[in-house]
Amino acid sequence: MAKPLALAPGEVHVWLTSPEPLQDPAQLAGYAAWMNPEEAARQARFLFERHRHQFLVARALVRSTLSRYAAIDPADWRFVNNQWGRPDIDPAHGLGDLRFNLSHTDGLIAVALARGELGVDVEDTWRRSHTDQIAEHFFAPAEVAALRALAPEQQHGRFFTLWTLKEAYIKARGMGLAISLHRFAYGLDPGPGVRLSVDPEIGDTATGWQFHVAAPNERHRLALAVRFPGDEPAAFTVRTVVPG
């Protein structure tokens, strides 16, 4: 077994894969053998084969990626869920503050690792959706106003930047949609930086949060939200792999 990878404070490692090209039956059977009974039951509940396939590859990416950082076989990882359902590494593995977060959409799966609060989101910008209606319903008023102020041809891309950032933040908090998306807002103009404002009612401040937005290909948008206990500056590394 290769020497485990190091993950220093301040580092964020992101591993990407595309599920659709992975169709070798032997490879997929190997992935299925890694899953525990609860994961297998969840996979079986999906109605459509493409969603069952996406779930299988996503679990394989999580397990094989974690095994890059610890001498644990992919099949042997155990997980625990917090009260809102976010999975974390079972503390019995003794890996301290190592955290991971998973996101998947059609065409892309991402797992991120860091030693701090961490959330990742990927979205398919080619999907058909009424982005204007979604923004009106879920975004903070200041975000909607800034979005509407852009030229029409810029609004689609800005929507997905905001949406992935908002998803990444609520995932980093570990509370999902228990946090109202209206209660925090991003400012993206002027300049390239990402500014966060937070309603104190959601039990947080903007202090220490760092963000990263990328387009790993022409179809997808990726965003990360991270906060480290020591406020180290974040260093993001993104790799594309085949799980295993």
Side-chain angles (χ1 to χ4, degrees), residues 109-146:
I109 302 170
V111 62
L113 290 89
R115 299 188 181 280
E117 296 175 86
L118 172 70
V120 63
D121 187 57
V122 290
E123 297 291 339
D124 178 5
T125 68
W126 291 0
R127 75 169 190 254
R128 294 183 179 181
S129 59
H130 299 289
T131 56
D132 54 342
Q133 296 177 20
I134 295 172
E136 291 286 350
H137 188 69
F138 290 107
F139 286 5
E143 292 171 323
V144 175

Side-chain angles (χ1 to χ4, degrees), residues 30-104:
Y31 292 168
W34 291 346
M35 291 197 298
N36 61 35
E38 186 272 337
E39 289 169 320
R42 287 173 59 194
Q43 185 200 22
R45 287 196 290 269
F46 287 101
L47 293 178
F48 299 106
E49 170 58 30
R50 71 183 180 93
H51 293 147
R52 291 193 294 270
H53 180 73
Q54 187 180 97
F55 180 89
L56 174 64
V57 177
R59 298 315 304 171
L61 182 64
V62 168
R63 288 174 170 275
S64 62
T65 298
L66 289 174
S67 291
R68 297 176 185 271
Y69 296 84
I72 298 172
D73 188 84
D76 292 338
W77 286 98
R78 299 187 304 277
F79 305 96
V80 295
N81 293 336
N82 73 3
Q83 67 186 94
W84 294 280
R86 185 188 70 184
D88 290 304
I89 299 167
D90 189 331
H93 284 305
L95 297 176
D97 56 0
L98 180 65
R99 291 188 179 180
F100 78 95
N101 199 240
L102 171 71
S103 182
H104 52 83

Side-chain angles (χ1 to χ4, degrees), residues 5 7 11-17 61 65 68-69 108-113 118 120-122 211-217 220-224 234-241:
L5 294 177
L7 186 64
E11 289 186 334
V12 183
H13 293 180
V14 186
W15 300 81
L16 306 176
T17 198
L61 182 64
T65 298
R68 297 176 185 271
Y69 296 84
L108 189 66
I109 302 170
V111 62
L113 290 89
L118 172 70
V120 63
D121 187 57
V122 290
F211 305 96
H212 178 70
V213 180
N217 54 54
H220 295 98
R221 191 66 47 85
L222 176 149
L224 292 134
F236 299 94
T237 302
V238 181
R239 303 175 177 91
T240 299
V241 296

